[in-house]
Amino acid sequence: MTKYKRIGVLTSGGDAPGMNAAVRAVVRAGLYNKMQVSGIRHGYDGLIKGDYFDMRSKDVSNIIHRGGTIIKSARSKDFMEKEGRYKAYRKLIEAGIEALIVIGGDGTFTGARIFGNEFDFPVIGIPGTIDNDLYGTDMTIGYDTALNTVIEAVDKIRDTASSHGRLFFVEVMGRDVGFIALRAGIASGAEAVFIPETETKLDNFKHYLFNGENKEKSSNICIVAEGDEAGGAFDIAGEVKKRLPGYDIKVTILGHIQRGGNPSAFDRYLASKLGIASVEALLEDQRNIMVGLKRREVDYVPFSKTIKHHKTPNQTMIDMLDILNY
Ligand code: F6P
């Protein structure tokens, strides 16, 4: 057992619903294990500036249900430089912080891994990103909530698409992976889903618009992952319009609403479980690892693995769409 007197916690990169639940769990588990916990504002930028404050139990009351992150987040260019990381290290030592828990995605873990190795400093990662692109965990914090946001929006769009017989292309986030698009496509009954992991072929697009009895569908919704190799929703809609000039085609870009909202029950639970696990990993003298969820159990995944491997949707999920659209 390794005892730390004081640990730090920060959120970094694109925020995700459930990050507050994770911060809450880290603070409560740290205090439970007789540690002090410093909140670090604005991610790695705050780490470098020494923007730290002592967090007590009451500082994380009434936040489990709130989206965003009360300790703010940022994408830090300075932390990508050794000079910036050295400043951060000095500030941590001055503040008596002996270990760090970082909540974020692959960019966050990339910086954490370099920092942890450079300064022999214990760092534990919690997967917090709506993209669900981190290898080594079945789900990332924020993904479930983002999916629910997307299907709620698509259900609304389907009402008007059906009323006017329109063909809609809805663009979702996910950076360069298609998890949000594919899973939300299945859950919302989308007629077609375009993701970076599969080749987008538009010449036989028309077959998506008919069902098994070859009857035209009453409404048609296509979900486009923002990182699709054929471009975003406007690009793909333009190409389809060339091939099907008779169709009334509309585009909706969901954008940053996918990053907000009250976290789902699953994300609150996942964040709480992994927040506690991150503190327990420190007590077990773990460092430079992510605490992930594998088949409902906590798993320790070295940063080197979770960053290097890219998680992609499996063929079963991709095949489901064809079957369900027959
Ligand atoms: O990584 C989360 C994410 O929402 C991606 O899905 C998206 O491409 C990106 O962040 C947007 O970044 P920003 O909020 O900096 O525009």
Side-chain angles (χ1 to χ4, degrees):
M1 286 279 275
T2 301
K3 273 293 187 200
Y4 294 101
K5 292 190 188 63
R6 179 173 286 275
I7 61 173
V9 60
L10 63 82
T11 48
S12 167
D15 66 324
M19 278 188 166
N20 280 326
V23 170
R24 172 178 176 269
V26 169
V27 172
R28 295 284 167 86
L31 296 173
Y32 178 86
N33 286 286
K34 310 295 178 241
M35 302 176 193
Q36 293 175 308
V37 185
S38 294
I40 297 158
R41 296 187 186 91
H42 301 288
Y44 290 135
D45 277 348
L47 195 66
I48 294 169
K49 296 188 179 89
D51 190 355
Y52 311 164
F53 68 107
D54 189 47
M55 294 192 85
R56 292 144 306 173
S57 184
K58 69 180 177 59
D59 291 315
V60 289
S61 294
N62 204 22
I63 66 167
I64 192 168
H65 63 294
R66 288 173 50 193
T69 160
I70 61 166
I71 54 175
K72 311 304 179 192
S73 182
R75 297 183 193 280
S76 174
K77 289 192 174 56
D78 292 345
F79 199 70
M80 295 162 88
E81 306 298 329
K82 172 119 190 200
E83 186 195 350
R85 294 192 295 270
Y86 180 68
K87 281 182 188 164
Y89 176 68
R90 293 301 316 150
K91 289 287 184 188
L92 284 167
I93 300 303
E94 281 165 27
I97 296 172
E98 302 162 296
L100 202 50
I101 292 171
V102 298
I103 305 164
D106 56 0
T108 303
F109 293 174
T110 300
R113 182 180 176 225
I114 295 168
F115 180 80
N117 289 335
E118 260 171 357
F119 300 102
D120 189 23
F121 198 89
V123 187
I124 303 291
I126 297 176
T129 170
I130 66 168
D131 299 343
N132 197 41
D133 57 348
L134 286 169
Y135 175 87
T137 185
D138 294 338
M139 299 280 275
T140 57
I141 295 164
Y143 175 53
D144 184 60
T145 304
L147 286 174
N148 285 300
T149 299
V150 171
I151 64 169
E152 202 178 307
V154 171
D155 289 352
K156 289 182 167 73
I157 291 170
R158 190 177 288 281
D159 289 343
T160 181
S162 175
S163 303
H164 291 268
R166 285 171 166 165
L167 169 55
F168 268 82
F169 288 86
V170 181
E171 183 177 302
V172 298
M173 284 185 161
R175 200 180 293 278
D176 53 9
V177 297
F179 280 102
I180 295 176
L182 186 53
R183 200 152 182 162
I186 292 167
S188 62
E191 276 65 39
V193 176
F194 299 101
I195 57 174
E197 294 85 356
T198 57
E199 191 190 348
T200 296
K201 299 191 193 85
L202 296 176
D203 290 334
N204 58 352
F205 177 81
K206 193 161 184 174
H207 91 268
Y208 290 117
L209 309 181
F210 296 87
N211 61 21
E213 298 90 57
N214 209 17
K215 266 195 358 246
E216 185 143 19
K217 295 174 179 175
S218 62
S219 68
N220 287 287
I221 306 275
C222 303
I223 294 186
V224 181
E226 62 179 342
D228 189 76
E229 88 281 0
F234 278 110
D235 302 307
I236 292 178
E239 285 304 311
V240 170
K241 186 69 180 171
K242 286 178 199 164
R243 293 162 173 80
L244 301 172
Y247 275 79
D248 186 355
I249 293 176
K250 297 291 180 186
V251 173
T252 300
I253 310 283
L254 293 185
H256 284 70
I257 63 165
Q258 298 163 88
R259 288 260 290 275
N262 293 352
S264 66
F266 178 82
D267 274 333
R268 299 181 201 192
Y269 173 78
L270 178 62
S272 300
K273 186 175 181 73
L274 295 183
I276 293 168
S278 67
V279 172
E280 291 175 348
L282 284 175
L283 293 170
E284 293 168 18
D285 203 20
Q286 293 287 338
R287 56 177 61 197
N288 271 3
I289 57 126
M290 171 191 80
V291 286
L293 188 76
K294 290 304 276 181
R295 286 177 292 285
R296 293 197 291 274
E297 294 303 322
V298 173
D299 196 23
Y300 295 160
V301 187
F303 282 147
S304 55
K305 276 182 78 174
T306 190
I307 294 162
K308 199 168 72 191
H309 298 274
H310 220 71
K311 192 172 76 179
T312 56
N314 61 36
Q315 192 58 42
T316 307
M317 271 176 85
I318 294 167
D319 294 344
M320 279 174 73
L321 215 72
D322 292 338
I323 296 164
L324 294 167
N325 270 312
Y326 182 75

